[in-house]
Amino acid sequence: HQLGIILEFKSADDKESLEDAAYEALKQIIERKYEVELLQKGISRVLKIGLAFKGKEVCVLSNKLNDGS
């Protein structure tokens, strides 16, 4: 099975934590259903990754990978 990977990047401002921004990135992938095109192409394993950065600091969050996720 092929694996699809979706990345969403967010720049965290001074008012929000890196973790909050990474969560928002991951939430955006899920809410906007970015995986639909991959699923239509027969890619049923999709890893969704939200990344947030502030300067040289970074936070990465991902969904639990399951077949048909």
Side-chain angles (χ1 to χ4, degrees):
H1 293 276
Q2 285 186 307
L3 172 64
I5 300 174
I6 300 170
L7 303 171
E8 178 65 32
F9 295 85
K10 294 285 184 190
S11 175
D13 59 27
D14 293 333
K15 298 174 188 171
E16 68 182 329
S17 73
L18 282 171
E19 190 171 333
D20 287 344
Y23 174 78
E24 287 301 317
L26 187 57
K27 185 174 146 189
Q28 180 176 324
I29 293 169
I30 295 165
E31 287 180 348
R32 295 188 182 179
K33 300 180 180 179
Y34 290 175
E35 76 278 5
V36 169
E37 187 174 338
L38 294 172
L39 295 172
Q40 288 173 345
K41 291 181 178 186
I43 299 171
S44 61
R45 296 177 61 221
V46 180
L47 179 59
K48 302 166 189 159
I49 301 173
L51 297 107
F53 60 92
K54 186 188 304 183
K56 292 184 178 184
E57 295 180 76
V58 66
C59 179
V60 179
L61 296 176
S62 69
N63 68 311
K64 184 177 178 182
L65 183 62
N66 292 320
D67 284 331
S69 60

